[in-house]
Coordinates of all heavy atoms in Angstrom, one line a residue:
I557 N 68.7 70.2 -308.1 CA 67.7 70.9 -308.8 C 67.4 70.2 -310.1 O 68.3 70.2 -311.0 CB 68.0 72.4 -309.0 CG1 68.5 73.1 -307.7 CG2 66.9 73.2 -309.6 CD1 69.1 74.4 -307.9
P558 N 66.2 69.6 -310.3 CA 66.0 68.8 -311.5 C 65.8 69.8 -312.7 O 65.4 70.9 -312.6 CB 64.8 68.0 -311.2 CG 64.0 68.9 -310.2 CD 65.1 69.6 -309.4
A559 N 66.0 69.2 -313.9 CA 65.6 69.9 -315.1 C 64.3 69.3 -315.6 O 64.0 68.1 -315.2 CB 66.7 69.7 -316.2
Q560 N 63.6 70.0 -316.4 CA 62.3 69.5 -316.9 C 62.5 68.2 -317.7 O 61.7 67.3 -317.8 CB 61.6 70.6 -317.8 CG 60.9 71.6 -316.9 CD 60.2 72.6 -317.8 OE1 60.8 73.5 -318.4 NE2 58.9 72.5 -317.8
E561 N 63.7 68.1 -318.4 CA 64.0 67.0 -319.2 C 64.8 65.9 -318.5 O 65.2 64.9 -319.1 CB 64.8 67.4 -320.5 CG 66.1 68.0 -320.2 CD 66.1 69.5 -320.0 OE1 64.9 70.0 -319.7 OE2 67.1 70.1 -320.1
S562 N 64.9 66.0 -317.1 CA 65.6 65.0 -316.3 C 65.0 63.7 -316.4 O 63.7 63.6 -316.4 CB 65.7 65.5 -314.9 OG 66.5 66.6 -314.7
N563 N 65.8 62.7 -316.5 CA 65.3 61.3 -316.6 C 65.0 60.8 -315.1 O 65.8 60.8 -314.3 CB 66.4 60.4 -317.2 CG 65.9 59.0 -317.3 OD1 65.8 58.2 -316.4 ND2 65.5 58.6 -318.6
V564 N 63.7 60.4 -314.9 CA 63.3 60.1 -313.6 C 64.0 58.9 -313.1 O 64.5 58.8 -311.9 CB 61.8 59.8 -313.6 CG1 61.3 59.2 -312.3 CG2 61.0 61.0 -313.9
N565 N 64.3 57.9 -313.9 CA 65.0 56.7 -313.5 C 66.4 57.0 -313.0 O 66.9 56.4 -312.1 CB 65.0 55.6 -314.6 CG 63.6 55.1 -314.8 OD1 62.8 55.0 -313.9 ND2 63.3 54.7 -316.1
T566 N 67.1 57.9 -313.8 CA 68.4 58.3 -313.4 C 68.5 59.0 -312.1 O 69.3 58.7 -311.3 CB 69.0 59.2 -314.5 OG1 69.0 58.5 -315.8 CG2 70.5 59.5 -314.2
M567 N 67.6 59.9 -311.9 CA 67.5 60.6 -310.6 C 67.2 59.7 -309.5 O 67.8 59.8 -308.4 CB 66.5 61.8 -310.7 CG 66.9 62.9 -311.6 SD 65.9 64.4 -311.4 CE 64.3 63.7 -312.0
N568 N 66.3 58.8 -309.6 CA 65.9 57.9 -308.6 C 67.1 56.9 -308.3 O 67.3 56.5 -307.1 CB 64.7 57.1 -309.0 CG 63.5 57.9 -308.9 OD1 63.4 59.0 -308.3 ND2 62.4 57.5 -309.6
S569 N 67.9 56.5 -309.3 CA 69.0 55.7 -309.1 C 70.1 56.4 -308.2 O 70.7 55.9 -307.3 CB 69.6 55.3 -310.4 OG 70.8 54.6 -310.2
F570 N 70.2 57.7 -308.5 CA 71.2 58.6 -307.8 C 70.7 58.8 -306.3 O 71.5 58.6 -305.4 CB 71.3 59.9 -308.5 CG 72.1 60.9 -307.7 CD1 73.4 60.7 -307.3 CD2 71.4 62.1 -307.2 CE1 74.1 61.7 -306.6 CE2 72.1 63.0 -306.5 CZ 73.4 62.8 -306.2
L571 N 69.4 59.1 -306.2 CA 68.9 59.4 -304.8 C 68.8 58.1 -304.0 O 68.8 58.2 -302.7 CB 67.5 60.0 -304.9 CG 67.5 61.4 -305.5 CD1 66.1 61.9 -305.7 CD2 68.2 62.4 -304.6
G572 N 68.7 57.0 -304.6 CA 68.7 55.7 -303.9 C 70.0 55.5 -303.1 O 70.0 54.6 -302.1
N573 N 71.0 56.2 -303.3 CA 72.3 56.1 -302.6 C 72.2 56.7 -301.2 O 73.0 56.5 -300.3 CB 73.5 56.7 -303.3 CG 73.8 56.0 -304.6 OD1 73.9 54.8 -304.6 ND2 74.0 56.8 -305.7
F574 N 71.1 57.5 -301.0 CA 71.1 58.3 -299.8 C 69.9 58.1 -298.9 O 69.9 58.4 -297.7 CB 71.1 59.8 -300.1 CG 72.2 60.2 -301.1 CD1 71.9 60.5 -302.4 CD2 73.5 60.2 -300.7 CE1 73.0 60.9 -303.3 CE2 74.6 60.5 -301.6 CZ 74.3 60.8 -302.9
G575 N 68.8 57.5 -299.4 CA 67.6 57.2 -298.6 C 66.4 57.0 -299.4 O 66.4 56.9 -300.6
S576 N 65.3 57.0 -298.7 CA 64.0 56.7 -299.4 C 63.3 57.9 -299.9 O 62.4 58.5 -299.3 CB 63.0 56.0 -298.4 OG 62.9 56.8 -297.2
I577 N 63.8 58.4 -301.0 CA 63.2 59.6 -301.7 C 63.2 59.3 -303.2 O 64.2 58.9 -303.8 CB 64.0 60.9 -301.4 CG1 63.4 62.1 -302.0 CG2 65.5 60.7 -301.7 CD1 63.9 63.4 -301.6
Q578 N 62.1 59.4 -303.8 CA 61.9 59.1 -305.2 C 61.1 60.1 -306.0 O 60.1 60.7 -305.4 CB 61.2 57.7 -305.3 CG 62.0 56.5 -304.8 CD 63.2 56.1 -305.7 OE1 63.0 55.5 -306.7 NE2 64.4 56.4 -305.2
F579 N 61.4 60.3 -307.2 CA 60.7 61.2 -308.1 C 59.6 60.4 -308.9 O 59.8 59.2 -309.2 CB 61.6 61.8 -309.2 CG 62.4 63.0 -308.7 CD1 63.5 63.0 -308.0 CD2 61.8 64.3 -309.0 CE1 64.2 64.1 -307.6 CE2 62.5 65.4 -308.5 CZ 63.7 65.3 -307.8
K580 N 58.5 61.1 -309.1 CA 57.5 60.6 -310.0 C 57.4 61.4 -311.2 O 58.2 62.4 -311.4 CB 56.1 60.6 -309.2 CG 56.1 59.7 -308.0 CD 56.3 58.2 -308.3 CE 56.2 57.4 -307.0 NZ 56.4 56.0 -307.3
A581 N 56.5 61.1 -312.1 CA 56.5 61.9 -313.4 C 56.2 63.3 -313.2 O 55.5 63.7 -312.2 CB 55.4 61.2 -314.3
I582 N 56.7 64.2 -314.1 CA 56.5 65.6 -314.0 C 55.1 66.0 -314.4 O 54.5 65.3 -315.3 CB 57.5 66.3 -314.9 CG1 57.5 67.8 -314.6 CG2 57.3 66.1 -316.4 CD1 58.7 68.6 -315.2
T583 N 54.5 67.0 -313.8 CA 53.1 67.4 -314.1 C 53.2 68.9 -314.4 O 53.9 69.7 -313.7 CB 52.2 67.1 -313.0 OG1 52.6 67.7 -311.8 CG2 52.0 65.6 -312.8
N584 N 52.4 69.4 -315.4 CA 52.4 70.8 -315.7 C 51.2 71.4 -315.0 O 50.2 70.8 -314.7 CB 52.2 70.9 -317.2 CG 53.4 70.4 -318.0 OD1 54.6 70.7 -317.6 ND2 53.2 69.7 -319.0
G585 N 51.3 72.7 -314.7 CA 50.3 73.5 -314.0 C 50.9 74.3 -312.9 O 51.8 73.9 -312.2
D586 N 50.3 75.5 -312.8 CA 50.8 76.5 -311.8 C 50.5 76.0 -310.4 O 49.4 75.5 -310.1 CB 50.2 77.8 -312.0 CG 50.7 78.6 -313.2 OD1 51.8 78.1 -313.7 OD2 50.1 79.5 -313.7
K587 N 51.6 76.0 -309.5 CA 51.4 75.6 -308.1 C 52.2 76.6 -307.3 O 53.3 77.0 -307.6 CB 52.0 74.2 -307.9 CG 51.2 73.1 -308.6 CD 51.9 71.8 -308.5 CE 51.8 71.2 -307.1 NZ 52.4 69.8 -307.0
K588 N 51.6 77.0 -306.2 CA 52.2 78.0 -305.3 C 52.8 77.3 -304.1 O 52.3 76.3 -303.5 CB 51.1 79.0 -304.8 CG 50.7 80.0 -305.9 CD 49.8 81.1 -305.2 CE 49.4 82.1 -306.3 NZ 48.5 83.1 -305.7
V589 N 54.0 77.8 -303.7 CA 54.6 77.3 -302.4 C 54.1 78.2 -301.3 O 54.3 79.4 -301.2 CB 56.2 77.5 -302.5 CG1 56.8 77.0 -301.2 CG2 56.7 76.7 -303.7
T590 N 53.4 77.6 -300.4 CA 52.6 78.3 -299.4 C 53.0 78.0 -297.9 O 52.5 78.6 -297.0 CB 51.1 78.1 -299.5 OG1 50.8 76.7 -299.4 CG2 50.6 78.6 -300.9
K591 N 53.8 77.0 -297.7 CA 54.1 76.5 -296.4 C 55.6 76.4 -296.1 O 56.3 75.8 -296.9 CB 53.4 75.2 -296.1 CG 53.5 74.7 -294.6 CD 52.8 73.4 -294.4 CE 52.9 72.9 -293.0 NZ 52.2 71.6 -292.7
I592 N 56.0 76.9 -295.0 CA 57.4 76.8 -294.5 C 57.5 76.0 -293.3 O 56.7 76.2 -292.3 CB 58.0 78.2 -294.2 CG1 57.9 79.1 -295.4 CG2 59.4 78.1 -293.7 CD1 58.3 80.6 -295.1
N593 N 58.4 75.0 -293.3 CA 58.6 74.2 -292.1 C 59.6 74.9 -291.2 O 60.8 74.8 -291.3 CB 59.1 72.8 -292.5 CG 59.3 71.9 -291.3 OD1 59.1 72.3 -290.1 ND2 59.5 70.6 -291.5
F594 N 59.0 75.8 -290.3 CA 59.9 76.6 -289.4 C 60.7 75.8 -288.5 O 61.8 76.2 -287.9 CB 59.1 77.6 -288.6 CG 58.4 78.6 -289.5 CD1 57.0 78.4 -289.8 CD2 59.0 79.7 -290.0 CE1 56.4 79.4 -290.6 CE2 58.4 80.7 -290.7 CZ 57.1 80.5 -291.1
N595 N 60.3 74.5 -288.2 CA 61.1 73.7 -287.3 C 62.2 72.9 -287.9 O 63.0 72.3 -287.2 CB 60.1 72.6 -286.6 CG 59.0 73.3 -285.8 OD1 59.3 74.3 -285.1 ND2 57.8 72.8 -285.8
H596 N 62.3 73.0 -289.2 CA 63.4 72.3 -289.9 C 64.8 73.0 -289.6 O 64.8 74.2 -289.5 CB 63.2 72.2 -291.4 CG 64.1 71.3 -292.1 ND1 65.4 71.6 -292.5 CD2 63.8 70.0 -292.5 CE1 65.9 70.5 -293.1 NE2 65.0 69.5 -293.1
P597 N 65.8 72.2 -289.4 CA 67.1 72.8 -289.1 C 67.6 73.9 -290.1 O 68.4 74.8 -289.8 CB 68.1 71.6 -289.0 CG 67.2 70.5 -288.7 CD 65.9 70.7 -289.3
L598 N 67.2 73.7 -291.4 CA 67.6 74.6 -292.4 C 67.1 76.1 -292.1 O 67.8 77.0 -292.5 CB 67.0 74.2 -293.8 CG 67.5 74.9 -295.0 CD1 69.0 74.6 -295.2 CD2 66.7 74.6 -296.2

Side-chain angles (χ1 to χ4, degrees):
I557 307 171
Q560 283 183 284
E561 62 273 18
S562 291
N563 184 284
V564 171
N565 292 331
T566 301
M567 288 192 296
N568 289 341
S569 175
F570 170 65
L571 293 172
N573 294 317
F574 310 110
S576 56
I577 181 169
Q578 295 286 287
F579 275 87
K580 299 297 182 182
I582 194 169
T583 57
N584 295 315
D586 288 344
K587 296 173 69 174
K588 287 185 177 181
V589 178
T590 60
K591 184 178 180 181
I592 302 173
N593 184 351
F594 295 99
N595 295 322
H596 194 278
L598 188 68

